[in-house]
């Protein structure tokens, strides 16, 4: 982290766009709270993607416009949303049967840490003063076919979020398929990390310098 | 057979000290605020509450917790931006928390209502939440055994009901309602409207009346988020 010319790489919007490009036509997709929600804005024209929200809606539409919010129509982040024509409501056990039963194609989640073997930590920092909360994260990583992670490459203090082994409590082991950061897109293949794409101005050497985990070309 | 009762007070009658009470809702959506407030008025203590969240502001479930009626809560996500009551009591060691992943929570409740004592799930394998639980391998993959949850009472919110207790919900306010109705000895539903028998198309019934014991019409339920925004504090009405 000695480098004076720190490279910022892709913006958050650009990261979300990269994720969107990898979501296929006809996919059923669950998006985590926060940055993952931005992905909806970048799905290419002509691709039909159906969004699942674990609190009981398949066919989630855009965020509700001011003045037409319905407190009984919310997403997993408890934001007021809308439902598209053709949407379906269901109870929580059915919703998680969709998740755990392998019916959802792709889930996009944020992360505290991802290990080189594809372990994910995104629910607890392990700080005993924090109120533990897990929500649906562990069910999603256990059941959804493909898990994408979207996250800044390093923390605010410059520590790598792509690590050899997670130090925070795990959400799931060997669950992540692909990681989208501001510096690169990484694939987890056979418990190893492979660089799939580098952000402009980022060399493999620079990326490795910014990454605790071992990277492969 | 007529399951309609005349007031929220009548609906929550008989909830006893030490009871396990399921409360529907995902945040404010589907939370039976009027039934919870009636339970605050009624005053039953040492309750074990099963609910996805731990309440917001000082109303609804948060008011029940603030009134020191809850000794333990099973939930998946007790932390929200506007949850103030639970964090304080939890840090002070005055309320017990069993953290359950959301899908496991829903399935444990469904199992409880379906007569299935336990099941195996891939959720939580290799995480701290699997510690102390039986792990078993099926077809080369590991699973955690989770036990069913049953309750003495369930408090749920729905949109439409008839006197047989058939229920229809509204949008994502359905969430935990249907499974909780199945898993409690006494299920109490608050509904926006009661309709005549036959008005609900049998094909459209979400919770069949066999799972429901009492129905009370609350035609104009409070918006929890409005109460929270106005910083309303519900302290109950002395009986």
């Amino acid at each position: 982290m000695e480098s004076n010319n720190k490279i910022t790489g892709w913006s958050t919007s650009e990261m979300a766009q990269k994720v969107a490009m990898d979501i296929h036509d006809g996919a059923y997709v669950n998006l985590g709270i926060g940055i993952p929600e931005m992905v909806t804005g970048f799905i290419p024209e002509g691709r039909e993607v159906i969004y699942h929200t674990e609190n009981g809606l398949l066919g989630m539409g855009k965020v509700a416009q001011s003045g037409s919010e319905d407190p009984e129509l919310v997403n997993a982040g408890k934001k007021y949303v809308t439902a598209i024509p053709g949407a379906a409501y269901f109870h929580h056990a059915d919703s998680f049967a969709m998740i755990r039963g392998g019916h959802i194609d792709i889930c996009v989640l944020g992360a505290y840490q991802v290990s080189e073997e594809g372990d994910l930590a995104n629910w607890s920092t392990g700080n005993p003063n924090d109120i533990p909360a897990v929500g649906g994260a562990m069910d999603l990583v256990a059941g959804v076919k493909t898990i994408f992670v979207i996250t800044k490459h390093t923390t605010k203090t410059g520590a790598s979020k792509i690590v050899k082994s997670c130090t925070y409590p795990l959400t799931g082991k060997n669950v992540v398929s692909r990681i989208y950061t501001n510096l690169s897109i990484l694939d987890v293949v056979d418990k190893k990390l492979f660089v799939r794409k580098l952000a402009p101005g980022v060399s493999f050497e620079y990326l490795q310098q910014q990454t605790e985990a071992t990277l492969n070309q | 057979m007529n399951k309609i009762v005349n007031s929220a007070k009548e609906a929550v009658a008989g909830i006893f000290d030490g009871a396990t009470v399921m409360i529907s809702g995902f945040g404010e959506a589907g939370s039976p605020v009027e039934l919870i407030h009636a339970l605050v008025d009624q005053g039953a203590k040492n309750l074990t509450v099963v609910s996805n969240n731990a309440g917001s502001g000082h109303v609804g479930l948060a008011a029940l917790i603030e009134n020191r009626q809850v000794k333990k809560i099973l939930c998946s996500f007790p932390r929200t931006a506007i949850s103030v009551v639970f964090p304080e009591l939890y840090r002070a060691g005055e309320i017990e928390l069993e953290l359950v992943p959301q899908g496991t929570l829903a399935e444990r409740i469904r199992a409880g209502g379906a007569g299935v004592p336990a099941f195996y799930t891939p959720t939580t394998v290799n995480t701290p939440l699997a510690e102390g639980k039986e792990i078993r391998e099926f077809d080369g993959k590991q699973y955690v055994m989770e036990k069913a949850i049953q309750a003495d009472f369930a408090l749920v919110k729905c949109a439409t009901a008839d006197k047989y207790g058939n229920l229809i919900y509204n949008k994502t306010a359905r969430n935990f309602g249907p499974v909780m109705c199945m898993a409690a000895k006494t299920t109490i539903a608050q509904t926006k409207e009661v309709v005549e028998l036959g008005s609900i198309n049998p094909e459209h019934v979400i919770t069949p009346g066999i799972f429901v014991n009492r129905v009370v019409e609350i035609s104009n339920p409070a918006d929890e988020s409005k109460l929270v925004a106005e910083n309303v504090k519900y302290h109950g009405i002395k009986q």
Side-chain angles (χ1 to χ4, degrees):
Chain A
M1 257 56 75
E2 324 289 302
S3 175
N4 292 324
N5 47 348
K6 205 165 165 57
I7 299 164
T8 51
W10 289 311
S11 67
T12 309
S13 300
E14 286 169 319
M15 288 157 62
Q17 188 193 18
K18 307 280 174 213
V19 175
M21 292 305 290
D22 289 344
I23 294 176
H24 60 271
D25 183 42
Y28 289 103
V29 176
N30 181 295
L31 299 174
I33 298 164
I35 297 175
E37 293 174 83
M38 292 173 65
V39 169
T40 58
F42 299 100
I43 298 293
E45 194 81 11
R47 274 188 216 177
E48 199 169 21
V49 173
I50 307 280
Y51 297 104
H52 170 266
T53 180
E54 59 263 35
N55 54 310
L57 165 60
L58 196 59
M60 179 176 61
K62 292 187 188 328
V63 169
Q65 289 191 326
S66 178
S68 58
E69 299 97 337
D70 180 344
E72 299 204 314
L73 180 44
V74 297
N75 69 5
K78 304 190 175 78
K79 259 190 212 147
Y80 303 127
V81 293
T82 55
I84 63 167
Y89 297 113
F90 32 83
H91 62 65
H92 250 82
D94 278 356
S95 184
F96 280 83
M98 293 176 195
I99 292 169
R100 208 187 302 100
H103 307 281
I104 308 285
D105 297 302
I106 296 168
C107 176
V108 185
L109 291 169
Y112 294 150
Q113 291 176 322
V114 187
S115 84
E116 57 189 33
E117 296 194 349
D119 301 349
L120 174 67
N122 80 341
W123 71 282
S124 164
T125 59
N127 181 344
N129 223 3
D130 287 350
I131 305 296
V134 64
M138 288 191 186
D139 305 280
L140 286 161
V141 300
V144 174
K145 286 177 212 159
T146 303
I147 303 292
F148 289 164
V149 161
I150 181 166
T151 179
K152 283 274 165 72
H153 204 87
T154 54
T155 65
K156 281 175 191 146
T157 57
S160 175
K161 295 179 87 171
I162 318 300
V163 295
K164 284 196 182 306
S165 175
C166 296
T167 53
Y168 291 149
L170 288 189
T171 309
K173 201 165 173 56
N174 312 130
V175 292
V176 176
S177 297
R178 188 169 287 167
I179 310 162
Y180 300 79
T181 78
N182 51 313
L183 300 181
S184 65
I185 301 173
L186 304 171
D187 277 343
V188 186
V189 182
D190 297 332
K191 301 189 176 178
K192 281 185 182 154
L193 284 178
F194 288 86
V195 179
R196 188 166 163 267
K197 199 170 182 133
L198 292 164
V202 177
S203 66
F204 178 82
E205 291 69 29
Y206 177 81
L207 187 68
Q208 182 62 79
Q209 194 188 34
Q210 299 290 315
T211 310
E212 190 205 293
T214 304
L215 301 177
N216 300 278
Q217 271 176 308
Chain B
M1 192 178 292
N2 183 6
K3 296 178 180 178
I4 311 297
V5 298
N6 292 319
S7 66
K9 182 183 172 181
E10 204 180 316
V12 302
I15 298 185
F16 50 87
D17 289 356
T20 297
V21 183
M22 291 176 173
I23 300 178
S24 69
F26 184 85
E28 66 175 317
S31 183
V33 173
E34 284 73 14
L35 287 179
I36 300 169
H37 286 174
L39 183 54
V40 173
D41 301 342
Q42 192 255 29
K45 288 195 170 31
N46 289 317
L47 302 173
T48 295
V49 166
V50 182
S51 193
N52 188 59
N53 304 100
S56 294
H58 301 271
V59 293
L61 180 50
L64 188 71
I65 295 170
E66 192 162 37
N67 201 35
R68 306 298 173 105
Q69 292 174 258
V70 183
K71 68 165 184 197
K72 179 178 177 180
I73 186 160
L74 284 81
C75 77
S76 87
F77 209 87
R79 190 177 65 208
T80 63
I82 31 178
S83 127
V84 283
V85 171
F86 176 83
E88 199 182 308
L89 290 185
Y90 178 76
R91 288 196 180 104
E94 289 174 27
I95 188 166
E96 195 185 331
L97 168 69
E98 181 178 338
L99 190 69
V100 185
Q102 206 173 128
T104 298
L105 184 65
E107 197 62 25
R108 287 178 68 187
I109 297 167
R110 173 155 71 177
V116 174
F119 58 92
Y120 291 90
T121 172
T123 303
T124 76
V125 170
N126 288 311
T127 78
L129 296 188
E131 276 166 23
K133 291 181 179 167
E134 183 193 321
I135 306 282
R136 193 161 157 189
E137 202 172 288
F138 296 92
D139 298 326
K141 205 177 153 188
Q142 290 192 318
Y143 297 84
V144 178
M145 189 181 82
E146 293 285 356
K147 289 183 180 168
I149 309 173
Q150 291 178 322
D152 299 300
F153 298 90
L155 308 182
V156 305
K157 184 187 188 184
C158 68
T160 305
D162 63 24
K163 70 174 193 174
Y164 282 178
N166 295 308
L167 310 182
I168 295 177
Y169 301 82
N170 183 41
K171 306 188 182 79
T172 59
R174 186 184 307 184
N175 56 68
F176 285 88
V179 286
M180 287 182 170
C181 286
M182 296 167 65
K185 288 193 191 98
T186 302
T187 290
I188 304 157
Q190 70 170 68
T191 181
K192 276 192 86 159
E193 58 164 357
V194 173
V195 297
E196 291 298 316
L197 292 179
S199 299
I200 301 175
N201 181 336
E203 295 282 7
H204 297 170
V205 171
I206 304 298
T207 292
I210 194 169
F211 297 124
V212 178
N213 303 90
R214 301 174 195 164
V215 174
V216 61
E217 190 176 52
I218 308 286
S219 52
N220 199 9
D223 272 355
E224 188 184 283
S225 54
K226 271 192 196 147
L227 299 180
V228 172
E230 291 161 7
N231 201 24
V232 172
K233 297 184 182 187
Y234 191 78
H235 297 302
I237 301 159
K238 293 277 172 280
Q239 299 289 298

